[in-house]
Amino acid sequence: MTEIALVRGDITEADVDAVVNAANSSLLGGGGVDGAIHRRGGPEILAACRELRATSLPDGLPTGQAVATTAGHLPARWVIHTVGPVYAKREDRSDLLASCYRESLRVADELGARTVAFPAISAGIYGWPMDDAARIAVTTVRATPTDVAEVRFVLFDDAAHQAFTVAAG
Ligand code: AR6
């Protein structure tokens, strides 16, 4: 049984086995959570991402998939990078967002991670409405078989925390 925890805070400070990064396909950094993880984790993470691009992922990481690297100087041991879909009013991309959670948990299981912290993937720069992003996040994690004992959603502000609290019922 996976326990779901909701906390307000900065995911780069999470004391967990793996933190999930809301990355982009290039894996070469950006703003939001991605920028914070690379800043705080140091250059080892970017070096590992460049190595992935040079080897297994020459075209980048497709939306909805996930891949792990070192966490550099973060308290966590690994960063699991996933690429959320950009929100689109006229197209339902919910399954791609759900896939980010499923694939991140699959990678966490491969690593043997028991505690995993997620941000609200796609709900920042990628424009996904927070309530809907929270609902998809919580329902997907609950429906995904995994050996991860604790999934911790680390929410950056009150609005995100409130949305996840409602979604978690
Ligand atoms: N800890 C926890 N949550 C955070 C933090 C943090 N340190 N910083 C921001 N958030 P975003 P996306 C929240 O934009 O929408 C990057 O440029 C934020 O308030 O980080 O998936 C990537 O390279 C929001 O609620 O991710 C991509 O190009 C949530 O995390 C693009 O942004 C996600 O916001 C990905 O956009």
Side-chain angles (χ1 to χ4, degrees), residues 9-11 22-24 29-34 36 120 122-126 130 154 156:
D10 178 345
I11 202 166
N24 61 63
V33 175
D34 198 10
S122 288
I125 292 164
Y126 281 178
M130 186 58 80
V154 181
F156 211 42

Side-chain angles (χ1 to χ4, degrees), residues 129-149:
M130 186 58 80
D131 292 354
D132 201 43
R135 182 186 56 77
I136 293 165
V138 170
T139 55
T140 305
V141 168
R142 282 193 179 141
T144 303
T146 172
D147 292 330
V148 171

